[in-house]
Amino acid sequence: MQPAAAKWYDRRDSVYVEFCVEDSKNVQVTFDKSKMDFSCITGTDNIKHQNVVELFGEIDPKESKHRRTDRSVLCCLRKAEAGKSWPRLTKDKAKCNWLSVDFNNWKDWEDDSDEDLSSFDKFSEMMNSMGGDDLPDLDGAEEEHDSADSDDEKMPDLE
């Protein structure tokens, strides 16, 4: 048995782990409060993979899920304590050669302040409350619409 290659990223209420295994069969994922166990068989050579991960923080095993696709198995680990970032996936600081950060999905959500979010909500609310009747007249744009524009002329045929 060998570990499957995996990528992970952190969100405010969940941690996502994607095991990069193509054509997986017999996928088994078990979630424990502080650990996850992943195993499967892949490819035509029936290579057996197993990853036992002692997690950095605690998760809610009942709310954690996984989904298999043809190319990978994505696991969503629901954090027991939402809003607390995980600097790494594993409890140990030792580098795992099968594990890497998924920089395509990584987001530094800790920098999002509530003030910024409330400002965005106020902006959205303001935009939604603006009605079409409040828009200023665009210097007779409707009147010009009936006349032909200079760029509406017929283009010459290509040779």
Side-chain angles (χ1 to χ4, degrees):
M1 261 195 227
Q2 64 187 39
K7 301 183 290 186
W8 80 283
Y9 61 97
D10 186 30
R11 286 291 190 268
R12 192 173 301 279
D13 60 352
S14 301
V15 172
Y16 294 88
V17 182
E18 183 176 17
F19 292 97
C20 306
V21 288
E22 291 187 23
D23 302 324
S24 58
K25 300 177 277 206
N26 299 342
V27 174
Q28 294 181 347
V29 182
T30 55
F31 301 108
D32 191 34
K33 203 161 92 168
S34 60
K35 176 174 93 168
M36 76 175 288
D37 190 347
F38 169 81
S39 64
C40 72
I41 299 172
T42 62
T44 55
D45 298 337
N46 291 327
I47 299 171
K48 294 180 181 178
H49 296 281
Q50 182 171 21
N51 300 62
V52 178
V53 184
E54 294 288 333
L55 300 170
F56 174 81
E58 291 188 354
I59 62 169
D60 183 349
K62 292 178 183 170
E63 292 295 317
S64 298
K65 299 176 174 44
H66 74 281
R67 185 184 75 216
R68 182 199 164 279
T69 67
D70 290 340
R71 308 202 85 203
S72 66
V73 176
L74 180 64
C75 300
C76 174
L77 312 175
R78 181 70 65 177
K79 292 179 181 178
E81 191 177 338
K84 189 171 184 180
S85 72
W86 288 19
R88 61 185 177 276
L89 179 65
T90 60
K91 184 176 185 178
D92 296 331
K93 288 186 178 182
K95 173 88 172 109
C96 300
N97 60 355
W98 54 268
L99 182 63
S100 64
V101 173
D102 187 351
F103 287 108
N104 290 335
N105 289 309
W106 193 268
K107 179 181 171 189
D108 198 8
W109 54 264
E110 284 186 307
D111 292 341
D112 295 345
S113 68
D114 291 338
E115 185 177 302
D116 291 342
L117 293 174
S118 65
S119 297
F120 179 76
D121 290 340
K122 289 176 185 172
F123 177 74
S124 296
E125 197 174 297
M126 181 184 74
M127 292 303 290
N128 288 336
S129 68
M130 288 179 65
D133 297 333
D134 297 332
L135 294 175
D137 186 18
L138 299 176
D139 297 327
E142 288 181 19
E143 296 165 11
E144 291 178 18
H145 182 68
D146 293 337
S147 65
D149 287 340
S150 61
D151 61 349
D152 287 344
E153 297 172 7
K154 185 174 176 173
M155 297 210 33
D157 292 334
L158 294 175
E159 295 179 7

